[in-house]
Amino acid sequence: MESYLKENFEVEPKNPTEEALKKWRSAVWLVKNPRRRFRMVADLAKRAAAEKKRRKIQEKIRIALYVQKAALQFIDSANRTERKLSEEVIQAGYDIEPEDLAYIVRSHNNKTYDFHGGLHGLARKVKVSLRDGVLSDDIPKRQQIFGYNQFVEKPQRPLWMFIWDALQDMTLIILMMCAVISVGVGIATEGWPKGMYDGLGIILCILLVVVVTAVSDYKQSLQFKDLDKEKKNIIIQVTRDGTRKKVSIYDLVVGDIVHLSIGDQVPADGVFIDGYSLSIDESSLSGESEPINIDKKKPFLLSGTKVQDGSGKMLVTSVGMKTEWGRLMVTLSEGGDDETPLQVKLNGVATIIGKIGLAFAVLTFFVLTSRFILVKFIRGEMGKWRMNDGLELLNYFAIAVTILVVAVPEGLPLAVTLSLAFAMKKLMNDRALVRHLSACETMGSATCICTDKTGTLTTNHMVVTRLWAAGDTKDIKTKEKLKSSISEKVLTVLLQSVFLNTNSEIVKDDTGKTSIIGSPTETALLEFGLLFQNNYTQEAKNVKIVKVEPFNSVKKKMSVLVSLSNGKLRAFCKGASEIILNMCDKVINEDGEVVQMSDKQQKAITDVINGFACEALRTICLAFKDIETGSTSDDSNSNNNDIPESNYTVIAVVGIKDPVRPGVKEAVKTCLDAGIMVRMVTGDNINTAKAIAKECGILTADGLAIDGPTFREKSDEQLKEIIPRLQVMARSLPLDKHKLVTFLRNELKEVVAVTGDGTNDAPALHEADIGLAMGIAGTEVAKENADVVIMDDNFKTIVVVARWGRSVYINIQKFVQFQLTVNVVALMTNFVSACTSGSAPLTAVQLLWVNMIMDTLGALALATEPPHDGLMKRPPIGRDVNFITKVMWRNIIGQSIYQLIVLGILQFNGKKLLNLNGPDSTAVLNTMIFNTFVFCQVFNEINSRDMEKINVIKGMFDSWVFMIVMVCTVTFQIIIVELLGTFASTIPLSGNLWLASILMGAVSLPVGVVLKYIPVESSTPSHDGYEPLPRGPELA
């Protein structure tokens, strides 16, 4: 079975090939209900059509943006007059029609832009202040006139459509036809109402199956809809009511002033207000990979594009479906998401079992019909055919079809979807947003987590605690003591460096409370600066910003060029201490004078940096350089205004405390116990990284810590030697992270999860088996390339995702074990009985009820079990392990043998054992067999809660879904036997027979205990497909 599955039903969890997707589709056979089975499977034809449509739209956009249709636009703009305003727009107080406003950016036409008065003209027409932004009170009015920033989405499918889908089951349709014929023939032969009971019972049971199935599918679809909306929700920084705020992308309106920085997605169409070195990647919209530089001459920004470099502000001119991105978004969701490896594998299992079931169904019908004809032949009645004979044959056909209903486990692939939907919802509550379904599965196999330090292992609440300036190291305790120990000249240039060289903003809320919007490092520096100077705007008033180079993870520094009040230019630079120190050849002394830096002074500063780092402090070096000659021209691209890269003067080195998050040490230990290696990959100083790694329990005595430059110099052979011991990589570039992930996956065959927050982390996130983006610190580009977004940036949440990943895999294995046991017993019981006695003890209605127990209700009970702590005491699931393990086969075969023995004894010797006499003894015996069979499944479902541990009751009462399913199954079984005998062909049982049924079912529990003492081959992976944990020093 496994070799067949690997050959035909194997797909990659990430970016599977079109060939693999087509291969398994062609291998699937005997699908009862394609509409339901493939509801959560990508529609390749629809996807191809959507891709074609998307490319057409992209081509149109590309032509509009780059070819510009110059002649046509020239004619258009020459003849263009302002459109007459509608009554609605006039009453709202605006001076431009929404269509005119949208056309300006969409056409990229400067003449139309100038026709409307440029930036300030547009701001006047949409009634917004470029300084204070939109007023909150105006938002409903703007949404009414200019629209909402939401895209047209497919409406949620109503419940009746899911009921219709469930009714498309081929076998159920055949059964309904049989039931209708049965009603007609029954009434004709047995009269009204007795003749209709058998057929009506089948119809009612089919309706029950359909409704339960449809409700389960409908609830899943609602969960996916909510998660999908959350995936698309982006938090944007805007200026409103004169202050900078964070708002949801859905709340953005025309007139909003949006702040953009590296890695952001442009949330709507708009025009450039101001900024520095703003570079936009428009490939998602136009297909063009070359970035576009945005300035006042090329001011148009399109929704859906990404900020590749720089920063800036934009005025929103159109939102939602009035943007080109809105039109494109409609095509992006067409065709659905790729199916997960488990879904594909279980489609394969369902195909194999379906073929076996079909053979049994055909054989059962053949044996029953042959015996019936043989009996008629022996009695010499071959020439006499009555209406009852036709009804008997129809009943045989219905039983054969019902066997097929039970045999084809349609619920197997759908159980994966159910389990994943449940896991995704629970993970959302645990602050993890799953973007790709397959990530839930793959995380259960993760053998290595490459994690960032800042914000993931640490709290990201940074505070400056140490300062080195003018040759002296100081603790930041009291403002007065610190101020008295620094000369006025040193303090002046230090505060200039803090307040001018920053990408953050100090804002006041409605209550007048000061807060800082920006990165945690910048926030810590600004809070430090505010200790000395409350009037933080004073520095900015006397200078003019000429050029800004925002921080990025490659250069590891941020620079700014300013024009001082005396007309001179000064450059400020801050960043990774060693890098900035190497750019400096001078230092400020205690008197505030700039002096040449000696080798001794450089070594002293290096010792300070290492000292701070060994105390687990993040070190930032601040420097400046006065430029005697230069231009202060507005042309920020001028070569005269390039920010220098050398000959700076060291101002200070600050040590920033970023405490380790509570619970991280325990979470790392949990990972090590679970066979998951944790590696820290950070841009910080190696001493800081080592100190934090030791505190977290990542760096062990025999572990290795290296820096990025050293790592880059190593050959592949050297990497093979060092990477198994590598626990910390410091001063790493995004390319180092990508190289490490690729090497771990391709050479060492590890299943790698990697965290990332910056734009440059996107390749590593994309390459990893599981990409984990940070929800708070992460850029939109990082999130878009990730499989899971960690909403609270906490390492503990990553461990929770790993637990759920393992839980999904194990839950599906439990369900498969349970369902295969029911399949084997139901098929063999009816087949053997048909061969020996010429009748089937389980009727069509009873088999339909059993099908619901093992399919929809079984999936609900077993596939939604929450994870337990024991899951993280096992090693990861191997890449190529058999899905149906020897442990599962042992349990399936053992339980099936027990149940078949019990049902066989009842079938052939039940009347004598149970002392059944009288005319209804056969009906009582068949009811007893049905009741015992159902209770065997109820107790076997409890058995399936754990495939290896003896105590299967532990935690059962905490799983409310499992308990509800158990109670409902038992309650409805009582109703079927005691009250619905007319439809279900049952007879009410005495108390003793009920007790006997329950006890025979309950014996499944001790049978399960005995089975678990039977050893399986140790050469195969133990623990349901898990490989044994390494012991001793190699575990570290």
Side-chain angles (χ1 to χ4, degrees), residues 790-817:
I790 307 300
M791 308 292 278
D792 58 359
D793 292 15
N794 194 340
F795 185 79
K796 280 169 71 179
T797 307
I798 298 171
V799 179
V800 171
V801 177
R803 282 179 77 213
W804 272 104
R806 293 182 175 201
S807 177
V808 165
Y809 190 88
I810 295 292
N811 284 350
I812 299 303
Q813 283 187 315
K814 292 178 196 172
F815 176 61
V816 168
Q817 176 184 296

PDB file of all heavy atoms in Angstrom, residues 790-817:
ATOM      1  N   ILE A 790       3.417  34.691  13.290  1.00  0.00           N
ATOM      2  CA  ILE A 790       3.402  34.645  14.761  1.00  0.00           C
ATOM      3  C   ILE A 790       2.965  36.028  15.251  1.00  0.00           C
ATOM      4  O   ILE A 790       3.757  36.976  15.252  1.00  0.00           O
ATOM      5  CB  ILE A 790       4.794  34.258  15.316  1.00  0.00           C
ATOM      6  CG1 ILE A 790       5.290  32.956  14.675  1.00  0.00           C
ATOM      7  CG2 ILE A 790       4.763  34.151  16.831  1.00  0.00           C
ATOM      8  CD1 ILE A 790       4.431  31.740  14.897  1.00  0.00           C
ATOM      9  N   MET A 791       1.708  36.136  15.641  1.00  0.00           N
ATOM     10  CA  MET A 791       1.101  37.446  15.903  1.00  0.00           C
ATOM     11  C   MET A 791       1.734  38.197  17.075  1.00  0.00           C
ATOM     12  O   MET A 791       1.754  39.412  17.100  1.00  0.00           O
ATOM     13  CB  MET A 791      -0.406  37.299  16.175  1.00  0.00           C
ATOM     14  CG  MET A 791      -1.156  36.520  15.117  1.00  0.00           C
ATOM     15  SD  MET A 791      -1.251  37.381  13.557  1.00  0.00           S
ATOM     16  CE  MET A 791      -2.617  38.473  13.863  1.00  0.00           C
ATOM     17  N   ASP A 792       2.246  37.440  18.082  1.00  0.00           N
ATOM     18  CA  ASP A 792       2.835  38.108  19.253  1.00  0.00           C
ATOM     19  C   ASP A 792       4.367  38.068  19.242  1.00  0.00           C
ATOM     20  O   ASP A 792       5.004  38.437  20.221  1.00  0.00           O
ATOM     21  CB  ASP A 792       2.306  37.484  20.554  1.00  0.00           C
ATOM     22  CG  ASP A 792       2.601  35.986  20.645  1.00  0.00           C
ATOM     23  OD1 ASP A 792       3.201  35.450  19.690  1.00  0.00           O
ATOM     24  OD2 ASP A 792       2.227  35.366  21.653  1.00  0.00           O
ATOM     25  N   ASP A 793       4.977  37.612  18.109  1.00  0.00           N
ATOM     26  CA  ASP A 793       6.445  37.550  17.952  1.00  0.00           C
ATOM     27  C   ASP A 793       7.124  36.709  19.026  1.00  0.00           C
ATOM     28  O   ASP A 793       8.317  36.868  19.277  1.00  0.00           O
ATOM     29  CB  ASP A 793       7.060  38.969  17.980  1.00  0.00           C
ATOM     30  CG  ASP A 793       6.671  39.792  16.762  1.00  0.00           C
ATOM     31  OD1 ASP A 793       5.732  39.396  16.057  1.00  0.00           O
ATOM     32  OD2 ASP A 793       7.294  40.834  16.510  1.00  0.00           O
ATOM     33  N   ASN A 794       6.402  35.779  19.645  1.00  0.00           N
ATOM     34  CA  ASN A 794       6.927  35.065  20.803  1.00  0.00           C
ATOM     35  C   ASN A 794       7.366  33.655  20.424  1.00  0.00           C
ATOM     36  O   ASN A 794       6.639  32.926  19.751  1.00  0.00           O
ATOM     37  CB  ASN A 794       5.831  34.987  21.883  1.00  0.00           C
ATOM     38  CG  ASN A 794       6.381  34.566  23.237  1.00  0.00           C
ATOM     39  OD1 ASN A 794       7.459  33.986  23.338  1.00  0.00           O
ATOM     40  ND2 ASN A 794       5.635  34.865  24.277  1.00  0.00           N
ATOM     41  N   PHE A 795       8.567  33.267  20.880  1.00  0.00           N
ATOM     42  CA  PHE A 795       9.086  31.928  20.574  1.00  0.00           C
ATOM     43  C   PHE A 795       8.172  30.837  21.128  1.00  0.00           C
ATOM     44  O   PHE A 795       8.020  29.774  20.521  1.00  0.00           O
ATOM     45  CB  PHE A 795      10.506  31.768  21.148  1.00  0.00           C
ATOM     46  CG  PHE A 795      11.144  30.465  20.781  1.00  0.00           C
ATOM     47  CD1 PHE A 795      11.717  30.276  19.529  1.00  0.00           C
ATOM     48  CD2 PHE A 795      11.159  29.399  21.679  1.00  0.00           C
ATOM     49  CE1 PHE A 795      12.283  29.059  19.179  1.00  0.00           C
ATOM     50  CE2 PHE A 795      11.731  28.181  21.334  1.00  0.00           C
ATOM     51  CZ  PHE A 795      12.302  28.020  20.081  1.00  0.00           C
ATOM     52  N   LYS A 796       7.551  31.092  22.267  1.00  0.00           N
ATOM     53  CA  LYS A 796       6.652  30.097  22.865  1.00  0.00           C
ATOM     54  C   LYS A 796       5.514  29.751  21.899  1.00  0.00           C
ATOM     55  O   LYS A 796       5.064  28.605  21.848  1.00  0.00           O
ATOM     56  CB  LYS A 796       6.066  30.636  24.175  1.00  0.00           C
ATOM     57  CG  LYS A 796       6.990  30.522  25.361  1.00  0.00           C
ATOM     58  CD  LYS A 796       6.468  31.304  26.553  1.00  0.00           C
ATOM     59  CE  LYS A 796       5.256  30.652  27.168  1.00  0.00           C
ATOM     60  NZ  LYS A 796       4.782  31.414  28.349  1.00  0.00           N
ATOM     61  N   THR A 797       5.066  30.744  21.121  1.00  0.00           N
ATOM     62  CA  THR A 797       3.985  30.506  20.166  1.00  0.00           C
ATOM     63  C   THR A 797       4.437  29.567  19.051  1.00  0.00           C
ATOM     64  O   THR A 797       3.649  28.760  18.551  1.00  0.00           O
ATOM     65  CB  THR A 797       3.493  31.848  19.576  1.00  0.00           C
ATOM     66  OG1 THR A 797       3.175  32.729  20.655  1.00  0.00           O
ATOM     67  CG2 THR A 797       2.261  31.674  18.710  1.00  0.00           C
ATOM     68  N   ILE A 798       5.730  29.649  18.676  1.00  0.00           N
ATOM     69  CA  ILE A 798       6.275  28.742  17.654  1.00  0.00           C
ATOM     70  C   ILE A 798       6.191  27.297  18.151  1.00  0.00           C
ATOM     71  O   ILE A 798       5.839  26.384  17.395  1.00  0.00           O
ATOM     72  CB  ILE A 798       7.737  29.117  17.311  1.00  0.00           C
ATOM     73  CG1 ILE A 798       7.792  30.534  16.715  1.00  0.00           C
ATOM     74  CG2 ILE A 798       8.361  28.105  16.350  1.00  0.00           C
ATOM     75  CD1 ILE A 798       9.190  31.087  16.534  1.00  0.00           C
ATOM     76  N   VAL A 799       6.476  27.095  19.437  1.00  0.00           N
ATOM     77  CA  VAL A 799       6.404  25.753  20.023  1.00  0.00           C
ATOM     78  C   VAL A 799       4.956  25.258  20.032  1.00  0.00           C
ATOM     79  O   VAL A 799       4.693  24.075  19.789  1.00  0.00           O
ATOM     80  CB  VAL A 799       7.009  25.749  21.451  1.00  0.00           C
ATOM     81  CG1 VAL A 799       6.922  24.372  22.079  1.00  0.00           C
ATOM     82  CG2 VAL A 799       8.455  26.218  21.412  1.00  0.00           C
ATOM     83  N   VAL A 800       4.009  26.173  20.267  1.00  0.00           N
ATOM     84  CA  VAL A 800       2.585  25.811  20.225  1.00  0.00           C
ATOM     85  C   VAL A 800       2.206  25.334  18.822  1.00  0.00           C
ATOM     86  O   VAL A 800       1.473  24.354  18.656  1.00  0.00           O
ATOM     87  CB  VAL A 800       1.699  27.020  20.645  1.00  0.00           C
ATOM     88  CG1 VAL A 800       0.222  26.735  20.399  1.00  0.00           C
ATOM     89  CG2 VAL A 800       1.928  27.361  22.111  1.00  0.00           C
ATOM     90  N   VAL A 801       2.726  26.022  17.784  1.00  0.00           N
ATOM     91  CA  VAL A 801       2.451  25.617  16.392  1.00  0.00           C
ATOM     92  C   VAL A 801       2.998  24.211  16.145  1.00  0.00           C
ATOM     93  O   VAL A 801       2.335  23.380  15.504  1.00  0.00           O
ATOM     94  CB  VAL A 801       3.072  26.620  15.388  1.00  0.00           C
ATOM     95  CG1 VAL A 801       2.851  26.159  13.951  1.00  0.00           C
ATOM     96  CG2 VAL A 801       2.481  28.013  15.568  1.00  0.00           C
ATOM     97  N   ALA A 802       4.201  23.934  16.679  1.00  0.00           N
ATOM     98  CA  ALA A 802       4.799  22.594  16.516  1.00  0.00           C
ATOM     99  C   ALA A 802       3.937  21.531  17.190  1.00  0.00           C
ATOM    100  O   ALA A 802       3.722  20.444  16.633  1.00  0.00           O
ATOM    101  CB  ALA A 802       6.214  22.576  17.091  1.00  0.00           C
ATOM    102  N   ARG A 803       3.404  21.838  18.371  1.00  0.00           N
ATOM    103  CA  ARG A 803       2.530  20.887  19.082  1.00  0.00           C
ATOM    104  C   ARG A 803       1.289  20.584  18.259  1.00  0.00           C
ATOM    105  O   ARG A 803       0.884  19.428  18.120  1.00  0.00           O
ATOM    106  CB  ARG A 803       2.105  21.465  20.440  1.00  0.00           C
ATOM    107  CG  ARG A 803       3.133  21.386  21.524  1.00  0.00           C
ATOM    108  CD  ARG A 803       2.619  21.994  22.811  1.00  0.00           C
ATOM    109  NE  ARG A 803       1.705  21.121  23.503  1.00  0.00           N
ATOM    110  CZ  ARG A 803       0.668  21.540  24.231  1.00  0.00           C
ATOM    111  NH1 ARG A 803       0.392  22.816  24.321  1.00  0.00           N
ATOM    112  NH2 ARG A 803      -0.104  20.685  24.851  1.00  0.00           N
ATOM    113  N   TRP A 804       0.686  21.636  17.709  1.00  0.00           N
ATOM    114  CA  TRP A 804      -0.534  21.441  16.919  1.00  0.00           C
ATOM    115  C   TRP A 804      -0.230  20.683  15.630  1.00  0.00           C
ATOM    116  O   TRP A 804      -1.038  19.880  15.163  1.00  0.00           O
ATOM    117  CB  TRP A 804      -1.195  22.793  16.614  1.00  0.00           C
ATOM    118  CG  TRP A 804      -2.147  23.207  17.687  1.00  0.00           C
ATOM    119  CD1 TRP A 804      -1.946  24.149  18.652  1.00  0.00           C
ATOM    120  CD2 TRP A 804      -3.455  22.672  17.937  1.00  0.00           C
ATOM    121  NE1 TRP A 804      -3.035  24.241  19.473  1.00  0.00           N
ATOM    122  CE2 TRP A 804      -3.983  23.352  19.061  1.00  0.00           C
ATOM    123  CE3 TRP A 804      -4.226  21.691  17.328  1.00  0.00           C
ATOM    124  CZ2 TRP A 804      -5.249  23.069  19.575  1.00  0.00           C
ATOM    125  CZ3 TRP A 804      -5.496  21.415  17.847  1.00  0.00           C
ATOM    126  CH2 TRP A 804      -5.996  22.104  18.956  1.00  0.00           C
ATOM    127  N   GLY A 805       0.956  20.931  15.050  1.00  0.00           N
ATOM    128  CA  GLY A 805       1.348  20.205  13.839  1.00  0.00           C
ATOM    129  C   GLY A 805       1.415  18.711  14.096  1.00  0.00           C
ATOM    130  O   GLY A 805       0.926  17.897  13.300  1.00  0.00           O
ATOM    131  N   ARG A 806       1.999  18.345  15.225  1.00  0.00           N
ATOM    132  CA  ARG A 806       2.088  16.929  15.594  1.00  0.00           C
ATOM    133  C   ARG A 806       0.699  16.370  15.898  1.00  0.00           C
ATOM    134  O   ARG A 806       0.366  15.239  15.548  1.00  0.00           O
ATOM    135  CB  ARG A 806       3.006  16.753  16.802  1.00  0.00           C
ATOM    136  CG  ARG A 806       4.448  17.092  16.475  1.00  0.00           C
ATOM    137  CD  ARG A 806       5.370  16.874  17.656  1.00  0.00           C
ATOM    138  NE  ARG A 806       6.758  17.107  17.233  1.00  0.00           N
ATOM    139  CZ  ARG A 806       7.808  16.628  17.868  1.00  0.00           C
ATOM    140  NH1 ARG A 806       7.656  15.900  18.944  1.00  0.00           N
ATOM    141  NH2 ARG A 806       9.030  16.879  17.427  1.00  0.00           N
ATOM    142  N   SER A 807      -0.112  17.197  16.556  1.00  0.00           N
ATOM    143  CA  SER A 807      -1.464  16.773  16.928  1.00  0.00           C
ATOM    144  C   SER A 807      -2.303  16.458  15.698  1.00  0.00           C
ATOM    145  O   SER A 807      -3.026  15.457  15.664  1.00  0.00           O
ATOM    146  CB  SER A 807      -2.133  17.879  17.759  1.00  0.00           C
ATOM    147  OG  SER A 807      -3.451  17.527  18.075  1.00  0.00           O
ATOM    148  N   VAL A 808      -2.214  17.306  14.659  1.00  0.00           N
ATOM    149  CA  VAL A 808      -2.986  17.086  13.425  1.00  0.00           C
ATOM    150  C   VAL A 808      -2.634  15.734  12.826  1.00  0.00           C
ATOM    151  O   VAL A 808      -3.517  14.933  12.479  1.00  0.00           O
ATOM    152  CB  VAL A 808      -2.720  18.222  12.395  1.00  0.00           C
ATOM    153  CG1 VAL A 808      -3.215  17.833  11.006  1.00  0.00           C
ATOM    154  CG2 VAL A 808      -3.400  19.515  12.836  1.00  0.00           C
ATOM    155  N   TYR A 809      -1.346  15.446  12.728  1.00  0.00           N
ATOM    156  CA  TYR A 809      -0.885  14.197  12.106  1.00  0.00           C
ATOM    157  C   TYR A 809      -1.375  12.982  12.905  1.00  0.00           C
ATOM    158  O   TYR A 809      -1.922  12.032  12.345  1.00  0.00           O
ATOM    159  CB  TYR A 809       0.646  14.214  12.032  1.00  0.00           C
ATOM    160  CG  TYR A 809       1.246  13.108  11.199  1.00  0.00           C
ATOM    161  CD1 TYR A 809       1.432  13.269   9.828  1.00  0.00           C
ATOM    162  CD2 TYR A 809       1.631  11.903  11.770  1.00  0.00           C
ATOM    163  CE1 TYR A 809       1.989  12.260   9.051  1.00  0.00           C
ATOM    164  CE2 TYR A 809       2.185  10.883  11.013  1.00  0.00           C
ATOM    165  CZ  TYR A 809       2.365  11.074   9.645  1.00  0.00           C
ATOM    166  OH  TYR A 809       2.909  10.070   8.894  1.00  0.00           O
ATOM    167  N   ILE A 810      -1.184  13.028  14.226  1.00  0.00           N
ATOM    168  CA  ILE A 810      -1.583  11.904  15.084  1.00  0.00           C
ATOM    169  C   ILE A 810      -3.098  11.726  15.063  1.00  0.00           C
ATOM    170  O   ILE A 810      -3.608  10.597  15.004  1.00  0.00           O
ATOM    171  CB  ILE A 810      -1.094  12.145  16.536  1.00  0.00           C
ATOM    172  CG1 ILE A 810       0.433  12.154  16.588  1.00  0.00           C
ATOM    173  CG2 ILE A 810      -1.656  11.090  17.484  1.00  0.00           C
ATOM    174  CD1 ILE A 810       1.096  10.834  16.307  1.00  0.00           C
ATOM    175  N   ASN A 811      -3.856  12.833  15.110  1.00  0.00           N
ATOM    176  CA  ASN A 811      -5.323  12.748  15.102  1.00  0.00           C
ATOM    177  C   ASN A 811      -5.835  12.066  13.846  1.00  0.00           C
ATOM    178  O   ASN A 811      -6.774  11.276  13.891  1.00  0.00           O
ATOM    179  CB  ASN A 811      -5.939  14.145  15.227  1.00  0.00           C
ATOM    180  CG  ASN A 811      -5.865  14.687  16.636  1.00  0.00           C
ATOM    181  OD1 ASN A 811      -5.520  13.956  17.566  1.00  0.00           O
ATOM    182  ND2 ASN A 811      -6.169  15.947  16.823  1.00  0.00           N
ATOM    183  N   ILE A 812      -5.217  12.400  12.710  1.00  0.00           N
ATOM    184  CA  ILE A 812      -5.640  11.776  11.452  1.00  0.00           C
ATOM    185  C   ILE A 812      -5.306  10.287  11.475  1.00  0.00           C
ATOM    186  O   ILE A 812      -6.093   9.452  11.018  1.00  0.00           O
ATOM    187  CB  ILE A 812      -4.977  12.465  10.233  1.00  0.00           C
ATOM    188  CG1 ILE A 812      -5.385  13.947  10.159  1.00  0.00           C
ATOM    189  CG2 ILE A 812      -5.370  11.770   8.938  1.00  0.00           C
ATOM    190  CD1 ILE A 812      -6.860  14.207  10.092  1.00  0.00           C
ATOM    191  N   GLN A 813      -4.151   9.928  12.034  1.00  0.00           N
ATOM    192  CA  GLN A 813      -3.803   8.510  12.156  1.00  0.00           C
ATOM    193  C   GLN A 813      -4.809   7.766  13.036  1.00  0.00           C
ATOM    194  O   GLN A 813      -5.219   6.637  12.719  1.00  0.00           O
ATOM    195  CB  GLN A 813      -2.396   8.356  12.735  1.00  0.00           C
ATOM    196  CG  GLN A 813      -1.289   8.638  11.724  1.00  0.00           C
ATOM    197  CD  GLN A 813       0.082   8.302  12.279  1.00  0.00           C
ATOM    198  OE1 GLN A 813       0.408   8.643  13.412  1.00  0.00           O
ATOM    199  NE2 GLN A 813       0.898   7.656  11.479  1.00  0.00           N
ATOM    200  N   LYS A 814      -5.225   8.406  14.139  1.00  0.00           N
ATOM    201  CA  LYS A 814      -6.237   7.797  15.025  1.00  0.00           C
ATOM    202  C   LYS A 814      -7.521   7.529  14.245  1.00  0.00           C
ATOM    203  O   LYS A 814      -8.126   6.452  14.355  1.00  0.00           O
ATOM    204  CB  LYS A 814      -6.562   8.735  16.190  1.00  0.00           C
ATOM    205  CG  LYS A 814      -5.476   8.957  17.198  1.00  0.00           C
ATOM    206  CD  LYS A 814      -6.010   9.952  18.224  1.00  0.00           C
ATOM    207  CE  LYS A 814      -4.911  10.552  19.064  1.00  0.00           C
ATOM    208  NZ  LYS A 814      -5.431  11.646  19.906  1.00  0.00           N
ATOM    209  N   PHE A 815      -7.945   8.538  13.486  1.00  0.00           N
ATOM    210  CA  PHE A 815      -9.200   8.419  12.737  1.00  0.00           C
ATOM    211  C   PHE A 815      -9.107   7.319  11.674  1.00  0.00           C
ATOM    212  O   PHE A 815     -10.045   6.541  11.489  1.00  0.00           O
ATOM    213  CB  PHE A 815      -9.546   9.773  12.092  1.00  0.00           C
ATOM    214  CG  PHE A 815     -10.779   9.722  11.223  1.00  0.00           C
ATOM    215  CD1 PHE A 815     -12.009   9.371  11.751  1.00  0.00           C
ATOM    216  CD2 PHE A 815     -10.697  10.021   9.876  1.00  0.00           C
ATOM    217  CE1 PHE A 815     -13.145   9.324  10.945  1.00  0.00           C
ATOM    218  CE2 PHE A 815     -11.820   9.968   9.070  1.00  0.00           C
ATOM    219  CZ  PHE A 815     -13.048   9.616   9.605  1.00  0.00           C
ATOM    220  N   VAL A 816      -7.959   7.246  10.996  1.00  0.00           N
ATOM    221  CA  VAL A 816      -7.773   6.218   9.960  1.00  0.00           C
ATOM    222  C   VAL A 816      -7.819   4.833  10.604  1.00  0.00           C
ATOM    223  O   VAL A 816      -8.467   3.913  10.082  1.00  0.00           O
ATOM    224  CB  VAL A 816      -6.433   6.432   9.212  1.00  0.00           C
ATOM    225  CG1 VAL A 816      -6.093   5.236   8.346  1.00  0.00           C
ATOM    226  CG2 VAL A 816      -6.500   7.689   8.359  1.00  0.00           C
ATOM    227  N   GLN A 817      -7.155   4.679  11.754  1.00  0.00           N
ATOM    228  CA  GLN A 817      -7.179   3.389  12.457  1.00  0.00           C
ATOM    229  C   GLN A 817      -8.612   2.997  12.811  1.00  0.00           C
ATOM    230  O   GLN A 817      -9.025   1.856  12.581  1.00  0.00           O
ATOM    231  CB  GLN A 817      -6.328   3.487  13.726  1.00  0.00           C
ATOM    232  CG  GLN A 817      -6.360   2.216  14.573  1.00  0.00           C
ATOM    233  CD  GLN A 817      -5.597   2.375  15.867  1.00  0.00           C
ATOM    234  OE1 GLN A 817      -4.394   2.561  15.877  1.00  0.00           O
ATOM    235  NE2 GLN A 817      -6.306   2.303  16.992  1.00  0.00           N
TER     236      GLN A 817
END
